[in-house]
């Protein structure tokens, strides 16, 4: 079990070290964490934000794994491999859009509450 955890940890570090999109999502997550702290999100809001951040990172990891398998199977351009990669990328896009929409709802409410009590 400890060995499996070690392999998974290596995968996490490889994801953020070598994948530009994962680093972008990491930067976005850090920005969200800072903004959430500033806006004093409540417990449930933090749970929701954590779930969507984790979902985006997981989707990015799955997408990266699928792309690497596809490249290993068929290094040349192939219409089916392209379709597989496009579908995997679509999964990341769907999760990222879901996270953005969730952020609009959670942060929108927090910002409106902040301004409402400020006036």
């Amino acid at each position: 079990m400890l060995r499996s955890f070690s392999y998974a940890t290596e995968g996490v570090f490889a994801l953020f070290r070598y994948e530009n999109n994962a680093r972008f999502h990491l930067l976005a997550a850090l920005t969200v964490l800072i903004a959430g702290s500033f806006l004093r999100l409540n417990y449930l809001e933090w749970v929701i934000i954590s779930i969507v951040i984790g979902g985006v990172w997981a989707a990015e990891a799955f997408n990266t794994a699928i792309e690497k398998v596809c490249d290993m199977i068929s290094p040349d351009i192939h219409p089916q491999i392209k379709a597989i990669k496009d579908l995997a990328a679509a999964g990341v896009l769907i999760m990222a859009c879901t996270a953005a929409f969730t952020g609009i709802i959670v942060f929108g409410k927090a910002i409106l509450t902040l301004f409402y009590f400020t006036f």
Side-chain angles (χ1 to χ4, degrees):
M1 184 172 130
L2 197 55
R3 189 181 315 176
S4 295
F5 184 77
S6 173
Y7 294 147
T9 302
E10 286 179 35
V12 170
F13 283 118
L15 178 68
F16 291 114
R17 182 173 181 194
Y18 299 114
E19 300 301 321
N20 290 330
N21 289 338
R23 283 194 296 255
F24 171 79
H25 292 302
L26 179 60
L27 180 63
L30 291 173
T31 303
V32 166
L33 294 175
I34 292 167
S37 296
F38 174 75
L39 292 170
R40 297 181 183 179
L41 297 183
N42 67 38
Y43 173 80
L44 184 57
E45 291 166 333
W46 277 118
V47 169
I48 293 167
I49 292 297
S50 298
I51 290 169
V52 295
I53 287 172
V56 171
W57 287 349
E60 190 63 53
F62 293 140
N63 178 53
T64 299
I66 290 168
E67 285 184 352
K68 289 187 179 304
V69 168
C70 287
D71 290 343
M72 186 180 71
I73 292 170
S74 178
D76 299 326
I77 296 172
H78 188 279
Q80 284 297 91
I81 295 294
K82 180 189 180 321
I84 292 166
K85 287 182 168 187
D86 290 351
L87 287 167
V92 177
L93 179 62
I94 290 166
M95 191 62 228
C97 288
T98 301
F101 184 66
T102 302
I104 289 168
I105 293 168
V106 170
F107 284 97
K109 176 187 169 285
I111 290 168
L112 288 175
T113 302
L114 179 70
F115 284 120
Y116 178 74
F117 289 117
T118 301
F119 292 120

